[in-house]
Amino acid sequence: MNSDQLLEALNQIASESSKNEKLALLMDFEAEKGLFREVLRLAYDPFIVFGILPKAEDAGTGELMFDEVDTLEFLSKLNNRELTGNAAREALRSQLAQLSEKSGELLIRILRKDLRAGFSDATINKVVPDLIPVFPYQRCSLPSEVKLKAWPWKDGIYLQEKADGMFANGTNLEDKFFLSSRQGTPLPMEHFSDLTAEMDMLIKDVQYHGELLVERDGVVLPRKVGNGILNSVTKGGSFAENEKPIYMIWDFIPLSSVKSKGKFEAAYKRRIALIKSMLAKFKPKYVRLIDTHVVHSLGETYDHFFNVLMQGKEGLVIKHPEGHWRDGTSKHQVKLKLDADCELEVVSINPGKVGSKNQGRAGALHCKSACGQVIVDVAIKNEKMRGEVDANPSDWIGRIITVRSNAIMRPSNSNQNYSLYLPRMVEDCYRIDKTEADDLKRIEEQFKNAIEAAKKLAESEAVVIDNTATA
C-alpha cells in the first residue's frame, strides 16, 4: 500500500457510519502492517510531536509518494527537532511540492495529528494493542460522592480556582518539552517558545498538569477570548505581538505514571510543595502556580466558592493534602461548581463535523433565548435523540428545550452575543408543555437563584461538618 492508496483507505473508513464496520476495515488494512501501521503511530502517538502545523492553503502539487521523497525521514527529523522553525517550514514546502495531491493530504493530516477517518486511539489499540500510548486524566468527584467530614480540616485543605482555560498536559522530556490536549493531541510548539525555555529549568521526565491562559498587554483575557485565541493557534494561527500564553500548573507525575490506569503514590502536599519550590527558585514569567489557598473549614471553602461565582468564574477544586494521583475519578479532589437550567428555542440543526462519526447526521441544536441575546449550540444528548432529529429535523425547529450550564458568558470582541458555559441538554426531548424560551433577564435570575440555593445548602452542610471536625 502506497501513500496515495493509504489516503483512499482512510477515506473509505471515514465514509462508514458504523463503528463495527470501521473497526473491521481498520483490521483489514492494518493486516498489511508496514506504512499503514506507521501512519497510525505517527498521527496518534502523543509523544510524537512535529512542532509545526500546515497552513490552510497547503496541498500536494507534485506526483510522488512518501517513499520517493523520504517523507517518513522528514517526519522523524521534525519529531527529533533536527528540523525546526523556518527550516522545518521550508522542508515542508519542499515535501508538498513533490508529493501528489493525495499523498500531500495524508502528510497534512499526520502533521495535524488527525487522520479524519472517524476513529480514535482507543479504536486503534483494539486492532493493535498498546500501539498508541493513552494519556491518563484525573477527574474530580462531586461533594455528594465524598465523605468531606472525614477530611483533615484542622490541618488544612488545598483550595484552587478553576482558571477556565484550556487544559494542557506539559510533558517535559530531557531533550524537549511539548504541550498536548487532554486527549493527547500536541499543540504547535513553535508558538510557545518563551514557555518552552522556562520549562527547561524545571524537573524533567515528568508530565505537568495545568491550564493555558492568554495575556494581552500583561492582562489575562476572559476565558472565551483566551480560549478562542488558543483554538486558533492550534489550527494554524498565531498569537499577536502583545499576546502571550501562560501555563498555570497544579500538579505533576513521573512519566512512568503516564499510562492508562497509572498511579503516583506521593501525597499532594509533597507534590505541590515541590512545584512551589521550583517556581520560587527559578521565578519563571510564563509558568505559574494556579491560584491556591489553604482552608480549615467547609464554611471557609464555600465563602471562597461564592466569591468566585459572583466574579462570573466557574468554580473551585478542593484537594486532600494526602491525596495520591490516579487515572480516573479521584475521591481526593472535589469540584465545586454551579448548575442552572434555562429554556431555549431551537433555531436550526447544525450538521455533524466533517470526518467525525456524525458526518452527514445531526450534530448540535442551534438555540437562542426569547430576546435573541443568548445564542448557543447544544450537543445532541444521545444516539436515540440523534436518530429522531435525523428522521424529522423540521419537527425540532421552534421547539423549546431545557439547557443546563455552569455560567453565562458575556459578549466579547469576537462574539457580540451572550452564550452559556458548558451547555448540555437535561432531557433527550423537547418540551411539550412550553412554547416560549427564557429571555436573558430570566436566565440571569435562574443563576442568582441557583447561587442562593447553593448557599443555603452549603451553610447547613458546613455546620454539620465543622461541628464534626471540632468535636
Side-chain angles (χ1 to χ4, degrees), residues 88-137:
R89 292 213 164 273
E90 184 57 40
L92 174 58
R93 281 192 287 270
S94 175
Q95 284 280 322
L96 292 174
Q98 299 175 79
L99 289 172
S100 68
E101 181 179 357
K102 290 180 179 178
S103 291
E105 173 63 20
L106 180 59
L107 174 58
I108 288 169
R109 293 187 187 185
I110 292 171
L111 290 172
R112 291 190 179 278
K113 305 290 281 188
D114 181 5
L115 295 180
R116 295 177 56 190
F119 57 77
S120 66
D121 49 9
T123 308
I124 296 170
N125 284 338
K126 289 180 181 178
V127 179
V128 188
D130 300 322
L131 178 65
I132 308 299
V134 177
F135 275 2
Y137 179 70

Side-chain angles (χ1 to χ4, degrees), residues 7-303:
L7 182 76
E8 293 170 356
L10 291 172
N11 288 340
Q12 184 180 346
I13 295 171
S15 68
E16 281 291 345
S17 59
S18 166
K19 289 184 178 180
N20 289 334
E21 288 299 322
K22 285 182 183 290
L23 185 60
L25 286 172
L26 258 178
M27 295 179 74
D28 288 343
F29 292 132
E30 201 285 323
E32 297 187 28
K33 299 183 174 61
L35 182 62
F36 193 89
R37 179 179 291 191
E38 181 63 3
V39 165
L40 294 178
R41 189 182 71 86
L42 289 168
Y44 290 101
D45 186 331
F47 287 98
I48 296 176
V49 182
F50 302 116
I52 61 170
L53 282 177
K55 296 180 179 178
E57 65 272 17
D58 284 345
T61 57
E63 298 179 351
L64 303 180
M65 312 296 165
F66 275 19
D67 60 325
E68 297 175 293
V69 292
D70 298 324
T71 299
L72 296 185
E73 182 180 349
F74 161 69
L75 290 170
S76 176
K77 288 182 177 179
L78 288 177
N79 181 45
N80 294 331
R81 297 189 61 76
E82 296 173 39
L83 282 173
T84 60
N86 291 333
R89 292 213 164 273
E90 184 57 40
L92 174 58
R93 281 192 287 270
S94 175
Q95 284 280 322
L96 292 174
Q98 299 175 79
L99 289 172
S100 68
E101 181 179 357
K102 290 180 179 178
S103 291
E105 173 63 20
L106 180 59
L107 174 58
I108 288 169
R109 293 187 187 185
I110 292 171
L111 290 172
R112 291 190 179 278
K113 305 290 281 188
D114 181 5
L115 295 180
R116 295 177 56 190
F119 57 77
S120 66
D121 49 9
T123 308
I124 296 170
N125 284 338
K126 289 180 181 178
V127 179
V128 188
D130 300 322
L131 178 65
I132 308 299
V134 177
F135 275 2
Y137 179 70
Q138 180 171 252
R139 295 174 180 83
C140 294
S141 294
L142 296 175
S144 59
E145 300 167 340
V146 176
K147 296 180 179 179
L148 289 174
K149 65 181 181 181
W151 282 27
W153 293 95
K154 286 184 178 180
D155 298 334
I157 302 299
Y158 292 102
L159 178 153
Q160 294 173 337
E161 182 178 314
K162 287 182 63 61
D164 302 339
M166 176 186 287
F167 176 86
N169 295 301
T171 306
N172 211 17
L173 307 178
E174 283 294 337
D175 58 343
K176 65 180 175 182
F177 168 76
F178 64 91
L179 293 162
S180 55
S181 70
R182 182 174 300 175
Q183 293 76 24
T185 304
L187 276 61
M189 296 308 296
E190 61 181 321
H191 299 300
F192 296 87
S193 56
D194 291 333
L195 198 156
T196 299
E198 292 188 346
M199 293 302 296
D200 190 51
M201 299 184 292
L202 307 187
I203 292 177
K204 302 293 183 65
D205 290 330
V206 300
Q207 184 182 82
Y208 295 91
H209 299 150
E211 288 184 330
L212 288 170
L213 303 176
V214 178
E215 281 190 348
R216 180 182 291 158
D217 296 323
V219 178
V220 176
L221 295 173
R223 65 186 173 208
K224 187 172 183 180
V225 179
N227 287 352
I229 293 170
L230 289 166
N231 284 327
S232 174
V233 170
T234 64
K235 295 174 183 177
S238 59
F239 296 105
E241 287 187 8
N242 62 338
E243 294 171 348
K244 291 289 185 181
I246 306 298
Y247 192 29
M248 307 290 288
I249 60 176
W250 58 73
D251 211 343
F252 73 93
I253 57 175
L255 292 183
S256 58
S257 299
V258 182
K259 59 184 178 182
S260 179
K261 299 183 180 179
K263 296 180 180 180
F264 183 36
E265 296 182 343
Y268 185 64
K269 64 183 180 182
R270 290 179 53 203
R271 306 197 308 267
I272 194 172
L274 184 53
I275 292 174
K276 289 180 177 179
S277 174
M278 284 190 296
L279 298 183
K281 179 179 180 180
F282 297 111
K283 296 180 173 57
K285 184 177 179 181
Y286 305 108
V287 183
R288 305 170 189 171
L289 177 67
I290 198 80
D291 188 31
T292 301
H293 302 270
V294 175
V295 293
H296 296 276
S297 72
L298 194 62
E300 186 181 356
T301 300
Y302 275 107
D303 285 343

Side-chain angles (χ1 to χ4, degrees), residues 189-460:
M189 296 308 296
E190 61 181 321
H191 299 300
F192 296 87
S193 56
D194 291 333
L195 198 156
T196 299
E198 292 188 346
M199 293 302 296
D200 190 51
M201 299 184 292
L202 307 187
I203 292 177
K204 302 293 183 65
D205 290 330
V206 300
Q207 184 182 82
Y208 295 91
H209 299 150
E211 288 184 330
L212 288 170
L213 303 176
V214 178
E215 281 190 348
R216 180 182 291 158
D217 296 323
V219 178
V220 176
L221 295 173
R223 65 186 173 208
K224 187 172 183 180
V225 179
N227 287 352
I229 293 170
L230 289 166
N231 284 327
S232 174
V233 170
T234 64
K235 295 174 183 177
S238 59
F239 296 105
E241 287 187 8
N242 62 338
E243 294 171 348
K244 291 289 185 181
I246 306 298
Y247 192 29
M248 307 290 288
I249 60 176
W250 58 73
D251 211 343
F252 73 93
I253 57 175
L255 292 183
S256 58
S257 299
V258 182
K259 59 184 178 182
S260 179
K261 299 183 180 179
K263 296 180 180 180
F264 183 36
E265 296 182 343
Y268 185 64
K269 64 183 180 182
R270 290 179 53 203
R271 306 197 308 267
I272 194 172
L274 184 53
I275 292 174
K276 289 180 177 179
S277 174
M278 284 190 296
L279 298 183
K281 179 179 180 180
F282 297 111
K283 296 180 173 57
K285 184 177 179 181
Y286 305 108
V287 183
R288 305 170 189 171
L289 177 67
I290 198 80
D291 188 31
T292 301
H293 302 270
V294 175
V295 293
H296 296 276
S297 72
L298 194 62
E300 186 181 356
T301 300
Y302 275 107
D303 285 343
H304 281 280
F305 175 53
F306 294 122
N307 183 47
V308 300
L309 288 183
M310 296 309 293
Q311 296 175 42
K313 298 179 181 179
E314 183 186 351
L316 300 171
V317 175
I318 54 175
K319 298 182 178 180
H320 195 296
E322 300 295 337
H324 296 169
W325 188 94
R326 63 183 294 270
D327 180 26
T329 303
S330 170
K331 296 291 187 181
H332 287 147
Q333 63 178 36
V334 176
K335 178 165 58 178
L336 303 180
K337 65 175 185 177
L338 182 74
D339 286 334
D341 296 349
C342 65
E343 312 297 334
L344 298 178
E345 178 187 346
V346 179
V347 178
S348 60
I349 312 297
N350 292 345
K353 183 180 177 182
V354 175
S356 73
K357 66 177 182 179
N358 295 321
Q359 180 177 345
R361 304 190 66 193
L365 305 181
H366 187 62
C367 303
K368 72 177 183 69
S369 61
C371 59
Q373 291 179 272
V374 180
I375 305 291
V376 66
D377 292 334
V378 184
I380 287 174
K381 189 171 180 65
N382 53 39
E383 288 307 306
K384 169 181 170 290
M385 177 186 163
R386 197 182 312 279
E388 292 173 356
V389 177
D390 285 340
N392 193 2
S394 61
D395 182 46
W396 286 78
I397 305 302
R399 299 290 190 175
I400 304 300
I401 62 171
T402 303
V403 177
R404 180 166 294 160
S405 65
N406 297 117
I408 298 173
M409 301 177 70
R410 306 293 169 183
S412 64
N413 291 334
S414 59
N415 188 349
Q416 299 304 307
N417 299 306
Y418 288 80
S419 187
L420 299 175
Y421 186 62
L422 296 180
R424 61 269 190 202
M425 293 186 69
V426 174
E427 301 172 311
D428 60 359
C429 58
Y430 51 72
R431 299 288 300 263
I432 59 174
D433 58 335
K434 290 204 172 187
T435 58
E436 186 174 344
D438 293 335
D439 59 15
L440 175 61
K441 182 179 179 181
R442 173 62 177 161
I443 296 172
E444 289 177 330
E445 288 175 353
Q446 294 285 71
F447 273 95
K448 290 179 181 177
N449 291 339
I451 291 175
E452 290 303 316
K455 278 184 178 180
K456 290 179 181 178
L457 178 61
E459 287 168 359
S460 63

